Amino acid sequence: MAWLQLHLATTEQHADAFQSALENLGAVAVTLTDGADQPVFEPPPGTRPLWQNTVVSALFEQEHTPEQILNALAAQGLEAQASHHETLEDQAWERAWMDDFSPMQFGERLWIIPSWSEAPDPAAVNLKLDPGLAFGTGTHETTALCLQWLDGTDLHNKTVLDFGCGSGVLAIAALLLGADDTTGTDIDPQALIASHDNAHNNGVAESLTLFLPEQMPLDYQCDVLVANILAGPLVELCELLAGYCRPGGKLALSGILSEQADSVRTAYEPWFELNPITQQGDWVRIDGIRRTV
């Protein structure tokens, strides 16, 4: 069976109305995408900002025609700024999605391997992880920057804190790379569940302790701290994170755009000797060592 995919150009103000109307007209899927290369970074908690120019794409069974859909929308007062459509041939959608993900190497030793793939190097440090609820699989530059740093850090006999653990990928990588034990914390309970499941799948669940932020022990300190969140929270939490890292301990921060790097460095310099910034794409990593005095 073939499918009709209809793309409608509209504005931030009208995108939700188009989405609801298309769903009511029988769309089996509706997605909203950026229509003018206008990224949205660090929205306030509880908000869902859209792009000023938004493209609403709807997938219909082919019994529908573009003319019917556009006329039905116009009858509801919804006129797209522009539209186009295409026919998609049916395929094994699950397999097409899986084909987008293949084993990825980070540093010298570490690989992330989807469950349906064979490890290119069975003797390497292979972390099994499938794409999930946007909690991080290593595909984003910020995660890659942290994984590369962990791969190049001596973690043996070390304790590691993954602050904002998401999928747990950084904590699990640290364990597989030789850390004694790791702690993960995240504000989202679903992230803690994902982290535990991923640690179990990699045989390291017994060495990973998970907390909501308010559950963290007051006297907690670690040898290595990695935080891949966003620049704003990193600045706000600088004193807390510095307190979690014992003197002489190592720190790596990411989730930072290059233009935000100076503000984050300034926030952490009172406690850490910081190395030169490492950049990948538009994103950077800031790392260093906790001062002993």
Side-chain angles (χ1 to χ4, degrees):
M1 182 177 75
W3 300 83
L4 167 68
Q5 184 161 262
L6 181 64
H7 304 281
L8 305 172
T10 185
T11 63
E12 176 184 4
Q13 292 77 15
H14 297 105
D16 286 337
F18 271 98
Q19 178 177 355
S20 296
L22 290 163
E23 289 171 346
N24 291 335
L25 289 171
V28 297
V30 179
T31 58
L32 308 180
T33 55
D34 181 7
D37 192 21
Q38 180 207 359
V40 177
F41 296 117
E42 300 195 46
T47 66
R48 193 201 68 165
L50 292 173
W51 306 274
Q52 183 176 353
N53 298 299
T54 299
V55 175
V56 183
S57 301
L59 190 67
F60 288 89
E61 295 180 356
Q62 208 176 29
E63 63 193 40
H64 298 77
T65 68
E67 294 75 20
Q68 290 172 338
I69 298 166
L70 292 173
N71 289 337
L73 291 171
Q76 300 178 52
L78 295 172
E79 297 275 359
Q81 296 174 346
S83 67
H84 70 278
H85 66 275
E86 58 198 349
T87 299
L88 301 180
E89 295 301 324
D90 206 6
Q91 59 178 301
W93 298 104
E94 296 87 351
R95 173 52 58 183
W97 170 78
M98 290 164 64
D99 287 346
D100 288 336
F101 295 92
S102 57
M104 297 172 289
Q105 186 175 11
F106 301 92
E108 297 295 325
R109 301 170 291 163
L110 179 65
W111 287 79
I112 292 183
I113 313 293
S115 62
W116 55 83
S117 297
E118 294 292 329
D121 180 3
V125 176
N126 292 311
L127 194 164
K128 295 177 289 184
L129 189 69
D130 290 342
L133 295 173
F135 282 134
T137 58
T139 58
H140 195 274
E141 287 97 332
T142 61
T143 312
L145 284 164
C146 293
L147 289 169
Q148 291 160 6
W149 183 81
L150 286 170
D151 180 78
T153 301
D154 181 7
L155 299 176
H156 287 87
N157 301 316
K158 301 292 193 300
T159 58
V160 178
L161 172 61
D162 180 0
F163 190 92
C165 58
S167 65
V169 60
L170 301 179
I172 297 166
L175 288 168
L176 295 176
L177 288 164
D180 271 4
D181 63 80
T182 59
T183 298
T185 182
D186 201 287
I187 61 174
D188 191 336
Q190 183 64 39
L192 303 187
I193 294 170
S195 295
H196 176 270
D197 290 346
N198 289 328
H200 175 77
N201 292 338
N202 284 276
V204 294
E206 292 184 359
S207 299
L208 173 61
T209 305
L210 296 162
F211 295 109
L212 293 169
E214 61 270 19
Q215 298 171 334
M216 283 288 291
L218 295 177
D219 60 348
Y220 178 85
Q221 286 197 313
C222 62
D223 300 308
V224 176
L225 191 155
V226 60
N228 180 25
I229 46 177
L230 291 170
L234 285 173
V235 170
E236 293 175 13
L237 297 168
C238 61
E239 186 171 358
L240 176 69
L241 297 189
Y244 283 150
C245 191
R246 65 171 44 100
K250 296 184 177 182
L251 171 83
L253 309 172
S254 197
I256 307 162
L257 289 164
S258 56
E259 59 263 32
Q260 300 168 325
D262 288 344
S263 64
V264 178
R265 285 186 66 91
T266 299
Y268 284 82
E269 281 176 338
W271 296 280
F272 294 88
E273 292 287 347
L274 297 174
N275 297 316
I277 288 171
T278 302
Q279 184 164 349
Q280 187 167 328
D282 294 328
W283 300 90
V284 303
R285 183 187 71 233
I286 296 173
D287 55 77
I289 298 177
R290 180 74 152 89
R291 292 194 176 96
T292 55
V293 292

